[in-house]
Amino acid sequence: MKQRRDFLKQSAAVALGIAGVAAASRRADADAAANWSMIIDLNRCTGCQSCVIACKARHHTSAGLFNTRVEIGEAGNYPQARSTYRPVLCHHCQEPACARACRHGAITVLANGIVAVDPERCKGDSACITACPHRACFLDPASGRMDKCDFCRTRLDQGLVPACVEACSSGARLFGDTLAPEGEFAAALGRTATVAGERVTYVRLRQTSVEKKS
């Protein structure tokens, strides 16, 4: 009986080891075999905040702090003025200003383009926050470390899209691999002018017929 228990324990250990190797392999694949990018169509965004809520539920950031947000503005003139919505998050820059500002080497660009933060190296001195042109990172008071969007890396490891993309009912957020684009992301990528060195691109807000006449 004891031998059977020992055998089962050893089998479980081996299974866990294999699972760990498989997980590490998926991580390596996600980190090296893709070039992740997001396209945000401002004409589709309704400002519903579903992306913000989904991100908050996924990452449990501190109260009042968000890895993504939706900025609300206005376009046109009275009486034809309208509200506009612009989702904001880390742009995962190819040469990020935040990384240059960090004296501790806590911010790196992964092979797949994601700008990642090493919490063990981050000292929370906020130099990166000041340097970010998109105001997309913040100091988490709970950890004393910088936090920001990481394109939901753990979801990518599982073959899933970022939580904000999944939650967007209007299809304003499109996500994919620029090295092997598929579906609607591929179509949008083909007709969208990308910004050099950034992995978040916006489809500009189109003018209404009234705005074109004014």
Side-chain angles (χ1 to χ4, degrees):
M1 189 68 177
K2 182 179 183 300
Q3 290 180 338
R4 176 180 173 78
R5 286 197 299 268
D6 291 342
F7 172 78
L8 291 174
K9 288 179 180 179
Q10 290 174 359
S11 299
V14 170
L16 288 172
I18 293 173
V21 170
S25 177
R26 287 195 301 271
R27 166 73 72 177
D29 290 343
D31 282 351
N35 186 39
W36 299 116
S37 182
M38 185 180 294
I39 298 173
I40 301 177
D41 190 337
L42 299 180
N43 301 283
R44 292 182 175 185
C45 182
T46 63
C48 70
Q49 306 290 334
S50 292
C51 56
V52 177
I53 295 170
C55 178
K56 189 75 170 179
R58 175 72 183 177
H59 297 286
H60 306 289
T61 53
S62 296
L65 298 172
F66 304 88
N67 285 339
T68 188
R69 65 185 188 278
V70 178
E71 294 181 344
I72 302 175
E74 291 184 358
N77 300 301
Y78 177 83
Q80 300 297 330
R82 56 177 171 149
S83 296
T84 61
Y85 308 99
R86 183 183 179 87
V88 178
L89 67 159
C90 173
H91 282 215
H92 297 277
C93 305
Q94 186 174 345
E95 298 180 359
C98 59
R100 292 196 300 270
C102 179
R103 297 181 290 109
H104 314 290
I107 304 172
T108 56
V109 181
L110 304 180
N112 62 11
I114 294 175
V115 176
V117 181
D118 184 347
E120 298 300 322
R121 290 189 173 186
C122 179
K123 305 302 180 185
D125 61 14
S126 299
C128 56
I129 298 172
T130 303
C132 177
H134 306 293
R135 297 186 294 114
C137 50
F138 57 88
L139 186 67
D140 187 344
S143 65
R145 303 290 187 266
M146 186 268 267
D147 196 8
K148 66 171 196 65
C149 163
D150 66 354
F151 277 165
C152 288
R153 285 181 67 196
T154 55
R155 286 178 60 87
L156 296 181
D157 290 344
Q158 301 167 27
L160 304 173
V161 297
C164 62
V165 176
E166 184 176 76
C168 183
S169 59
S170 65
R173 294 190 185 227
L174 302 173
F175 187 82
D177 178 7
T178 60
L179 300 179
E182 298 178 349
E184 194 171 6
F185 173 79
L189 188 65
R191 63 174 182 264
T192 302
T194 58
V195 178
E198 296 187 358
R199 292 180 175 81
V200 174
T201 302
Y202 293 90
V203 178
R204 292 183 178 180
L205 195 65
R206 292 186 292 271
Q207 286 185 309
T208 64
S209 56
V210 173
E211 289 170 349
K212 290 179 181 178
K213 292 178 183 179
S214 61

